[in-house]
């Protein structure tokens, strides 16, 4: 009778573990998807920030170019090649005189959604200012 009681007790514990796992699994999956979505948005932010930095550096040395604004925008877009170019907005502000400042700003929309519900959305914006050489 002792062995039968032990088997029954083991079965009850296994059933309890499966039930607990079934209750916790949706929460764990939601947490995992949230981490993945945040990672994607963070990667996009780093990409936009690096692209703006590269564009500002290009702008700082491009005052003698025929189209310094176009050269700068091109540098930003080529540095941000792994994001959707149609949604990337780039602005360049400068007098293009030696010693003046050039400010490059880029904006890219983001959206964090979990199970079809948008948790957070907005624009990732980065700006860099350098002195025109």
């Amino acid at each position: 009778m002792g062995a039968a009681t032990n088997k029954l007790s083991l079965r009850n514990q296994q059933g309890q573990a499966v039930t607990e796992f079934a209750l916790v699994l949706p929460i764990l999956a939601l947490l995992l998807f949230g981490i993945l979505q945040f990672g994607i948005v963070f990667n996009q932010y780093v990409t936009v920030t690096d692209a703006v930095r590269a564009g500002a550096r290009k702008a700082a040395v491009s005052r003698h170019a025929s189209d310094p604004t176009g050269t700068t925008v091109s540098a930003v877009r080529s540095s941000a090649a792994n994001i959707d170019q149609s949604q990337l907005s780039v602005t360049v502000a400068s007098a293009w005189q030696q010693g003046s400042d050039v400010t490059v700003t880029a904006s890219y929309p983001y959206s964090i959604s979990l199970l079809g519900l948008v948790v957070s959305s907005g624009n990732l914006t980065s700006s860099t200012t350098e002195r025109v050489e």
Side-chain angles (χ1 to χ4, degrees), residues 28-46 83 108-122 124:
L28 289 174
L30 193 63
L31 185 63
L32 178 66
F33 291 135
I35 291 170
L36 288 172
Q37 288 281 316
F38 178 77
I40 290 168
V41 169
F42 186 72
N43 181 32
Q44 291 170 344
Y45 175 74
V46 169
I83 60 176
Y108 189 76
Y110 77 92
S111 177
I112 298 176
S113 61
L114 298 174
L115 301 175
L117 298 172
V118 176
V119 177
S120 179
S121 65
L124 303 171

Side-chain angles (χ1 to χ4, degrees), residues 2-30:
T5 303
N6 284 342
K7 278 187 174 184
L8 185 59
S9 175
L10 183 61
R11 262 194 192 153
N12 288 340
Q13 288 178 5
Q14 287 175 345
Q16 179 183 356
V18 169
T19 303
E20 289 174 354
F21 181 72
L23 291 172
V24 173
L25 182 63
I27 296 168
L28 289 174
L30 193 63

Side-chain angles (χ1 to χ4, degrees), residues 22-104:
L23 291 172
V24 173
L25 182 63
I27 296 168
L28 289 174
L30 193 63
L31 185 63
L32 178 66
F33 291 135
I35 291 170
L36 288 172
Q37 288 281 316
F38 178 77
I40 290 168
V41 169
F42 186 72
N43 181 32
Q44 291 170 344
Y45 175 74
V46 169
T47 299
V48 169
T49 301
D50 183 57
V52 166
R53 183 206 51 80
R57 183 66 197 136
K58 186 68 171 181
V61 298
S62 295
R63 76 179 169 101
H64 293 298
S66 61
D67 182 16
T69 300
T71 302
T72 303
V73 170
S74 178
V76 171
R77 291 192 179 280
S78 67
S79 183
N82 63 341
I83 60 176
D84 185 3
Q85 296 293 311
S86 66
Q87 295 185 1
L88 180 64
S89 171
V90 181
T91 58
V92 180
S94 179
W96 300 111
Q97 299 297 321
Q98 186 175 7
S100 66
D101 287 340
V102 59
T103 301
V104 180

